[in-house]
Amino acid sequence: MLVSLEIRNFLLIKKLSINLIKGFNTFTGETGAGKSIIIDALKLALGGKNNSNHNLKDNEITTIKAVFEINQKIKNNLDSLNIEIEDDYLIVERQIDINQKSKILLNNQITSLTAVKKTLSNIIEFQENYEQQELYNNKYFLDFIDKTGSIDTSVLKEKFKILKNSKDEYFNHALNEKNIQEKIEILSSKIKKIKLLNPKKNEYQKLSDQRNLNKNSKKIADLTSELKNLINSFNNNGLLTDIEKNINKLTEFDKSYEDLSSKFSSSALEITEFINDLDNTFEKFDFNEIDFNDVEDRIYQYQQLSKFFNIDPDKLSEKYEEVEEEINQLQNFDKEKNKKYKKYRDDLDFFKQEAEKISLLRQKHSINLSKKINLELPDMNIEQGELHFEFLKLDEDNFNIDGIDELEVKFRTNKKADFSSIKKVASGGELSRLLLIIKSLSADFDNDLILIFDEVDSGLSGKIASNVSEKIMKLSKNNQIIAITHSAQVASKADKHWKIFKEIKGENLESKLIELSDKDRILEIATLISGAKITDESKKVASNLLKGS
């Protein structure tokens, strides 16, 4: 709900602070006092166009601040915009300077007009003469029929998403048909290049290791030669054999050397075996200049081909499989196309079945709904008014998430006249009262809305005005209502009542606002009844209206 509204330096308003309540809030006052300025200020705060000269003086800034209690709808809207607000309240502030430069803030952070509008798009509605845009939108009525008829369209919406995906997949696939042969030729050329190299898994790494070995061949050769000389010296000098003989002789004289002799014999044998293994390795190791060139040449081929495909050299073997698979898919294009087409047509049939079911439910409910609306039109001073719902079937290309229905809403204000669009037939006041009927019928399904009525009761009195006030009061049970009115009947139903008046200060004319007490409300409503001259009779009527009698 809208918790508070603060307005500074906007047209006739220098400073106003309004604390609103959930339920029915109303504003009254003589014509020109500034009632509609409050609505204009709120619109401006919420991203409306700045079309006014705000009568600013040097260094003055127009500031309009609206504070909303964050409910689940607002939270969902903020989440969809990736806006995080940890507070319990949403603070929207619009600032405009003397040069008409404007900025808008959400909880003290500069944001865009679009973000503010999207945050509150399904939260607040302005109902003014000729401003009932919902009534010009047939989708609004389709949602109204679904809501009041408790028609569950969740399965329909899900099936449409599935249909859209399969349809897009099929047509995107079919678009590629003309380029299939060209793509196959390009891919065949690619795979031919890979085949010439014939890459194998892990081969590039092995080649790199071999090249590294080749680069160090001189060092390896020198070390090998030195080790061979040492081995030859070792084998020729027989030092280990001499040591072993002398230790064995010692054991003949002193048995304590037997353990040492055994250990040395074992170690000597291991050393001899190691030397022999090392010598055998050197005999197998042979550098070949031709192998060097082959390795370098193959590494170069790997690197050039990897640049062509823009991948790592060791991924070339996988690329071969990938390109081969892509060629197979293209060669099986028609088979894949038929498979996708069948899925698309199956999904279309499933969607149509559900859409037909929903359409029948809508048509059946719309008959009862139009009867209810038509019965209430005379109570809203549209005595011969009649509304009619006409259902047509959309072309297949125009099927959408709401189904296959094209709804046309026809209206007439005279039984002898032909039906036509609401926009062409209804006056501003009739539009307001028609929307009020529709809102009252959906009141049990709507909640947490902020509905703003600007003189929806204009030109009405007596029983008709009472009917309007009853519908507004019904709406206020689950929603917040802000109504500007000249009607005593409407004002008397409000939970909170303000009076707007003009005050002259020197050469300046300002709009002021006061919250009315119970006693003050009697006088204000009596003024609405009898004008500036309040009579005892008008005060009595006002008192009875407030008591609901």
Side-chain angles (χ1 to χ4, degrees), residues 145-277:
I145 291 169
D146 290 343
K147 182 164 52 178
T148 56
S150 299
I151 299 171
D152 184 3
T153 60
S154 58
V155 174
L156 175 71
K157 294 180 189 301
E158 187 60 35
K159 288 192 175 182
F160 177 76
K161 290 177 184 176
I162 294 169
L163 169 62
K164 187 177 184 303
N165 286 338
S166 60
K167 182 179 180 180
D168 289 346
E169 275 191 23
Y170 167 68
F171 281 102
N172 289 336
H173 188 76
L175 280 173
N176 293 323
E177 191 166 9
K178 294 179 182 178
N179 303 321
I180 292 300
Q181 195 54 44
E182 183 182 346
K183 285 185 177 180
I184 290 175
E185 289 174 4
I186 292 171
L187 290 170
S188 297
S189 173
K190 288 182 178 181
I191 207 165
K192 186 177 179 181
K193 289 178 183 291
I194 301 176
K195 278 184 175 179
L196 285 172
L197 177 65
N198 190 24
K200 297 179 175 59
K201 191 174 182 180
N202 299 326
E203 183 187 18
Y204 182 77
Q205 184 60 49
K206 290 177 181 177
L207 289 167
S208 298
D209 293 342
Q210 183 63 44
R211 180 170 64 176
N212 185 55
L213 190 65
N214 291 347
K215 283 181 178 179
N216 295 294
S217 60
K218 179 66 170 65
K219 292 179 181 178
I220 294 171
D222 290 344
L223 287 169
T224 302
S225 177
E226 186 177 346
L227 281 168
K228 280 184 176 181
N229 290 333
L230 290 170
I231 289 169
N232 287 333
S233 297
F234 176 81
N235 288 333
N236 291 333
N237 62 29
L239 288 174
L240 288 177
T241 304
D242 291 343
I243 293 170
E244 186 176 13
K245 284 180 181 179
N246 288 327
I247 292 176
N248 287 336
K249 285 180 181 180
L250 281 171
T251 58
E252 293 176 6
F253 303 110
D254 187 348
K255 297 298 183 182
S256 64
Y257 283 98
E258 284 183 350
D259 189 41
L260 287 173
S261 175
S262 175
K263 285 182 180 179
F264 182 81
S265 296
S266 176
S267 297
L269 181 62
E270 287 181 4
I271 291 171
T272 302
E273 288 177 353
F274 172 74
I275 295 296
N276 290 334
D277 290 342

Side-chain angles (χ1 to χ4, degrees), residues 31-80:
T31 301
K35 298 185 298 298
S36 293
I37 293 176
I38 293 174
I39 304 302
D40 292 339
L42 181 57
K43 283 183 178 179
L44 192 61
L46 304 184
K49 289 184 179 180
N50 176 30
N51 298 321
S52 302
N53 180 348
H54 302 159
N55 297 327
L56 294 174
K57 296 178 182 178
D58 289 342
N59 300 321
E60 282 187 339
I61 294 176
T62 294
T63 303
I64 305 161
K65 185 185 291 185
V67 179
F68 296 87
E69 189 175 66
I70 294 180
N71 57 25
Q72 193 59 47
K73 286 182 181 178
I74 292 178
K75 189 178 185 306
N76 292 342
N77 293 342
L78 290 171
D79 289 344
S80 70

Side-chain angles (χ1 to χ4, degrees), residues 128-132 135 380-382 411 426-436 454-460 464 468:
E128 304 165 88
N129 287 348
Y130 293 105
E131 292 293 329
Q132 291 74 20
L135 298 184
M380 293 288 106
N381 202 31
I382 312 176
F411 190 63
S427 67
E430 288 168 338
L431 286 170
S432 296
R433 297 192 295 278
L434 175 58
L435 186 63
L436 191 55
D454 190 358
E455 300 188 8
V456 67
D457 46 38
S458 180
L460 303 179
I464 302 297
V468 169

